[in-house]
Each structure stands twice: as structure tokens, then as C-alpha cells.
Amino acid sequence: MKLSRAEYKEIVRWTDQLRPTRQCMKILKERFPNHSQSTLLSIFSLEYQKRIKRTISRHHAPDAIESHYQRYLSEAKAHPTAPVLLELANEVDLSPALMARIILDRFLQGLEGGVPSKIVLSSMLKEPSLIPDQILANNIYQCTINDCCYGPLVDCIKHAIGQEHEVLLCEKLKERNLSFLDENQLRVMGYDKTPDIILEVPIAVEGHIVHWIESKASFGDDHSHRTYLNEQFWSYWNRFGPGLVIYWYGFIGELDCQRDRGILLKDCFPTDIVTLSHAAQQDRLPQEPE
């Protein structure tokens, strides 16, 4: 779904009032019923991550960590069955999963007398039953399952969704009998930085030649698209020629302004595909690196 910049800013304005709990999506969906939940969640996640980047340093200050930890201990003692850590995270406007990591790290330091390894910390966040304190384990679990932007559960979901859309893209190409090389095949050939798909025979979409396709299971906002342009898309263009980016959850319509320079944006798999002559385009096909 393409959004005008005005529509996007209206959604962003509402996200500023919300915390990253799963209930926030119900609020957004009720306010913007014509937009898919996936699009709204992607926009909210992008905006919330920007908010966290601006404020996370103050929560990592030693005095802030100790204040959060002592507050947790006090609340957990008074209300051992309540999700006090989740409530504390929402109160101070910090991601529940990030708050869980801070508190667990502080707990393990007190238990072991030193800084815990990242492997131990990550394993306990993924599997709270490993935490040798049942009340803390329950609070960590509540933070993890109620955070829609950060944490091991969200990481797994994002990875799965990304894979799902790459598979969908491949299936769409096969349905059209289009020959292509996927990312794994290109890595075997020796490429280290490639788009998801290289077309062995280029196509034309809406009058624009396409040699490669990149799948993004997210919404394309100004910041993320600018980052992708600088770190991925322009390098693909330099190496393989013009290409297509699919933002499956939509993008700001005004960002689709690089078509004449060779980067086309879509929010779905294109339907008006024209296959170009293999011979005429042979010079643009990827060759095995020397």
C-alpha cells in the first residue's frame, strides 16, 4: 500500500502516544481501519526504534540501571504475581524486552559478581526457565511476549516473515516462467553482497528495465529507504543495472522518485511484466567474479 506523506505523518503522530505492547496495534487498527495491520505494525516499529535510539543511553546509565532494578525488587516483593517489570517499562517508556535485558543483566551481576556473558544473557532471554529466580523469570517472559518491537520472539518472527516473502517472490517468478538466480545461488558463485533475485533474462515493468529484485518485508519510510539506497540499492545498480524493490507492507509514495535513474518501487509483485530479449541484454547479466 502506497501512502502519501500526509497519510504517513498522521499515522506517525498517533504512534508517538503508544507503547510497544501488543494492545497498541488494536488502537492503531481502530483508528486506521483501511490500512493493514502489517503495515501499521511496520510503521510503528520503525518509529518506535527511532524513539528508543534517542533515549536508550539514559536507561543504560549506572544510576538509572540501579534505580530500575531497586524499583523492580520493591514492586516484585509487594506484588509477586503481577507483571511489574512490564508495567515499569511502559511507565518509563522503554521497550519491555530491553528493560528485561537490563534487569536480567543486573540480577546476574549480583549473583555471579561479574558481567555475564552475552551468550548466557541471550539464552536466558530466549528461555526464561533458565533464570534461577522464578518471579524474575515470569517477569522476563511477560516482557518478551508483550513486546512487538524488540526481543528474541520479535527477532524470530521478523526473520520468518522475511523468509516467507522471499519464498513468495520466488514462487511468483516461477509462475511467470522467469529464469533467475536467488541469493544463495549467487553466494555460491562468489558474490558477497547481492539483491535477493538476479533475473537471468531482464524484464520491463511499467516501461522500466529490471535486472534484479529486492524483497523488503517492511514499510519503506524516509529513513529506512535512504539507508537502503546508500548501503544496498545503489551498489546493486552499479553492479547489475536497474532494479525493482518490493516493500510488501507499503511505502511513502513520494519515495518512488528514482525510476529514471534505475530504481523502481512497488508494494506487490508486478502484474504488467514484459520479458526482454536475452541477446539484447546479455551484457548486463551477472558473470562469475574473477
Side-chain angles (χ1 to χ4, degrees):
M1 175 181 288
K2 285 196 291 186
L3 301 182
S4 69
R5 195 174 297 281
E7 289 177 306
Y8 166 73
K9 286 184 176 180
E10 176 65 10
I11 296 173
V12 169
R13 187 176 67 83
W14 270 77
T15 66
D16 288 340
Q17 309 167 35
L18 302 176
R19 300 290 183 266
T21 58
R22 304 204 178 273
Q23 290 75 18
C24 77
M25 294 316 304
K26 181 179 179 182
I27 297 172
L28 277 178
K29 187 61 178 173
E30 289 174 351
R31 177 62 183 81
F32 302 98
N34 295 327
H35 300 304
S36 74
Q37 182 158 316
S38 296
T39 294
L40 294 172
L41 176 57
S42 185
I43 293 174
F44 175 75
S45 295
L46 290 167
E47 291 304 311
Y48 188 73
Q49 287 165 19
K50 294 173 193 174
R51 193 195 313 176
I52 287 296
K53 286 178 181 178
R54 292 193 299 266
T55 62
I56 188 64
S57 60
R58 71 168 182 250
H59 293 290
H60 278 289
D63 57 339
I65 292 174
E66 195 60 30
S67 175
H68 292 335
Y69 186 59
Q70 294 303 325
R71 174 85 178 276
Y72 159 73
L73 291 177
S74 175
E75 295 290 334
K77 184 177 181 180
H79 309 284
T81 60
V84 295
L85 196 54
L86 177 63
E87 293 168 357
L88 175 58
N90 290 331
E91 181 184 321
V92 301
D93 194 17
L94 179 61
S95 151
L98 295 182
M99 175 64 85
R101 190 178 190 90
I102 288 172
I103 297 302
L104 179 58
D105 184 64
R106 173 62 182 81
F107 167 78
L108 292 175
Q109 286 185 39
L111 196 67
E112 301 172 358
V115 178
S117 71
K118 290 183 178 180
I119 294 176
V120 170
L121 196 58
S122 296
S123 65
M124 288 185 175
L125 288 169
K126 291 177 182 177
E127 184 49 73
S129 64
L130 297 173
I131 300 170
D133 182 303
Q134 188 60 52
I135 293 176
L136 179 58
N138 290 337
N139 273 276
I140 297 293
Y141 175 73
Q142 287 294 329
C143 286
T144 299
I145 65 171
N146 281 288
D147 195 322
C148 63
C149 294
Y150 287 94
L153 179 59
V154 171
D155 291 341
C156 288
I157 292 171
K158 284 183 177 179
H159 178 73
I161 291 174
Q163 293 287 98
E164 177 185 349
H165 284 83
E166 288 178 19
V167 170
L168 174 62
L169 174 57
C170 290
E171 289 176 349
K172 294 288 186 182
L173 291 167
K174 290 174 182 176
E175 287 174 8
R176 299 296 297 264
N177 294 316
L178 296 171
S179 299
F180 63 90
L181 298 171
D182 64 26
E183 200 171 14
N184 293 327
Q185 291 171 306
L186 290 164
R187 282 177 182 154
V188 171
M189 292 171 61
Y191 290 96
D192 58 348
K193 192 174 184 181
T194 69
D196 294 314
I197 295 294
I198 293 288
L199 297 164
E200 294 189 286
V201 179
I203 60 175
V205 176
E206 298 176 10
H208 297 271
I209 295 174
V210 170
H211 290 271
W212 53 267
I213 304 175
E214 179 73 6
S215 171
K216 295 295 183 188
S218 60
F219 182 85
D221 68 355
D222 290 285
H223 180 265
S224 62
H225 184 62
R226 182 169 58 250
T227 301
Y228 287 139
L229 277 172
N230 293 333
E231 297 182 359
Q232 295 181 345
F233 303 158
W234 287 128
S235 65
Y236 299 161
W237 183 91
N238 284 328
R239 197 167 196 176
F240 305 113
L244 165 67
V245 178
I246 302 178
Y247 283 111
W248 294 100
Y249 297 153
F251 58 92
I252 299 172
E254 288 86 342
L255 295 178
D256 190 17
C257 58
Q258 306 286 355
R259 291 186 168 209
D260 291 340
R261 296 184 64 189
I263 295 179
L264 176 70
L265 304 187
K266 296 284 289 183
D267 60 357
C268 62
F269 188 81
T271 56
D272 56 339
I273 291 176
V274 177
T275 304
L276 302 181
S277 164
H278 184 279
Q281 297 297 329
Q282 183 65 36
D283 61 324
R284 274 299 191 176
L285 294 179
Q287 303 298 321
E288 187 172 351
E290 297 181 357

